[in-house]
Amino acid sequence: MQHVMLPASYVESARAYLTGERQPVEPRDAATVLLLRDGDHGPEVYLLRRQTSMAFAGGMCVFPGGGVDARDSDREIRWAGPAPERWAELLVTDVAHARALVCAAVRETFEESGVLLAGDAADTVVSDTTGEDWERERAALEARELAFTDFMADRGLVLRTDLLAPFRAWLTPEFEPRRYRTWFFAALLPPGQRTRDVSTESDQVAWLPARHVVEEVEADRVAMLPPTYQSCLEVAQHDDAAAVLAAGADRVLEMFTPELVEDDGGATMTSPRWMHHLLAARERR
């Protein structure tokens, strides 16, 4: 089992749970998307730096994502790609929950980057979402004034679930005051679309080579939670963005929950077993 060092602020919070002073909270369901494109130095990831005032992961660099809204799947919408039943198998959950997670992933990507994984038909994708009408609806979705299913139905759009690939699944440790059961997806930036700095939860956005991100995190120049760092490390092992999606195409996501481990060297958080292979691959490059 691999370990990741924890900052001192996390250690004190964790100890309060270990001693029984505080009780774990119930985690919320969430979906996040590694938005990818090719660059001169391998696949690039789209990152947002969360406002330092945010209660969860303030100041951290993250992928577009957020909590599942009950209205993400409250009615049928046009659907392309793997059926909800197949997504349920890949995400290891029931069909209704899988449908909500996939919808949340697409909605959150649109809300936080302006990129929409949908089209007028099963074989098309929206080419431009920068118009004033698109922006009004994006803002309404972010403010929860508009339901995702209503947005899709009103525009006659097809959800392009075939543009998503399952990536990983993480459950926030028990010692976190805010906990999320998060399913990670990966997707390529659709042709013609471009990301925009639109999220009210971030103060900076950037496209960066995954390898560069890993180096910056390890040099303590970028703040990032372990799941995000380890996702970037995995992306960095591939030569292009398409290879990242291909690697996760039929991946069944096992939910991993980090645990706190204390020893003479300080406090660490456990990482999944597949991290060993990623670290070994990095050493060979």
Side-chain angles (χ1 to χ4, degrees):
M1 185 69 70
Q2 299 296 318
H3 296 76
V4 176
M5 289 297 298
L6 283 175
S9 59
Y10 276 69
V11 177
E12 292 307 313
S13 174
R15 283 177 179 153
Y17 286 97
L18 292 176
T19 60
E21 297 174 40
R22 301 171 71 178
Q23 296 300 312
V25 299
E26 184 65 24
R28 292 181 57 198
D29 288 341
T32 191
V33 176
L34 285 73
L35 200 55
L36 306 168
R37 72 179 186 186
D38 288 324
D40 294 335
H41 303 285
E44 297 181 346
V45 293
Y46 184 68
L47 293 170
L48 306 88
R49 191 178 71 179
R50 287 172 63 84
Q51 300 273 4
T52 55
S53 59
M54 299 297 294
F56 180 79
M60 298 282 185
C61 287
V62 299
F63 306 120
V68 174
D69 188 325
R71 300 175 301 168
D72 282 331
S73 58
D74 62 355
R75 56 185 284 198
E76 292 292 328
I77 58 175
R78 299 169 68 193
W79 186 284
E85 290 77 10
R86 177 54 178 160
W87 278 111
E89 295 173 356
L90 297 173
L91 305 181
V92 192
T93 187
D94 60 65
V95 174
H97 191 214
R99 183 186 295 110
L101 289 168
V102 172
C103 289
V106 174
R107 173 182 55 75
E108 285 285 344
T109 302
F110 182 49
E111 286 181 16
E112 298 201 336
S113 73
V115 170
L116 184 60
L117 304 176
D120 296 325
D123 59 351
T124 67
V125 64
V126 174
S127 61
D128 184 10
T129 63
T130 60
E132 291 183 4
D133 55 338
W134 286 106
E135 178 54 24
R136 280 195 301 271
E137 292 179 327
R138 188 209 62 78
L141 284 167
E142 186 178 30
R144 299 298 181 264
E145 297 169 354
L146 175 65
F148 180 70
T149 49
D150 290 342
F151 163 72
M152 294 290 289
D154 291 347
R155 281 191 171 268
L157 293 172
V158 179
L159 191 72
R160 290 290 307 275
T161 78
D162 54 320
L163 300 181
L164 288 167
F167 197 75
R168 296 293 178 184
W170 292 77
L171 175 58
T172 310
E174 291 187 345
F175 60 79
E176 285 277 13
R178 285 175 172 77
R179 302 182 66 209
Y180 295 91
R181 188 183 294 107
T182 306
W183 283 260
F184 284 64
F185 299 82
L188 301 180
L189 178 67
Q193 292 195 39
R194 58 185 178 87
T195 52
R196 295 181 287 126
D197 185 3
V198 291
S199 174
T200 59
E201 297 182 356
S202 63
D203 60 13
Q204 288 186 24
V205 300
W207 280 100
L208 294 171
R211 296 174 191 173
H212 174 70
V213 174
V214 170
E215 293 170 356
E216 291 295 287
V217 173
E218 293 177 350
D220 293 325
R221 290 190 290 266
V222 169
M224 190 172 279
L225 292 173
T228 316
Y229 158 75
Q230 292 177 9
S231 296
C232 289
L233 179 59
E234 183 167 355
V235 172
Q237 309 311 311
H238 297 278
D239 293 328
D240 55 47
V244 179
L245 263 68
D250 294 311
R251 182 179 290 169
V252 176
L253 302 189
E254 297 182 10
M255 187 68 63
F256 178 77
T257 307
E259 297 178 354
L260 183 74
V261 177
E262 290 194 83
D263 54 33
D264 294 338
T268 61
M269 196 162 64
T270 57
S271 295
R273 297 184 184 281
W274 48 260
M275 268 294 293
H276 172 76
H277 302 291
L278 295 181
L279 293 170
R282 180 183 58 174
E283 293 302 320
R284 292 195 297 268
R285 293 189 74 96

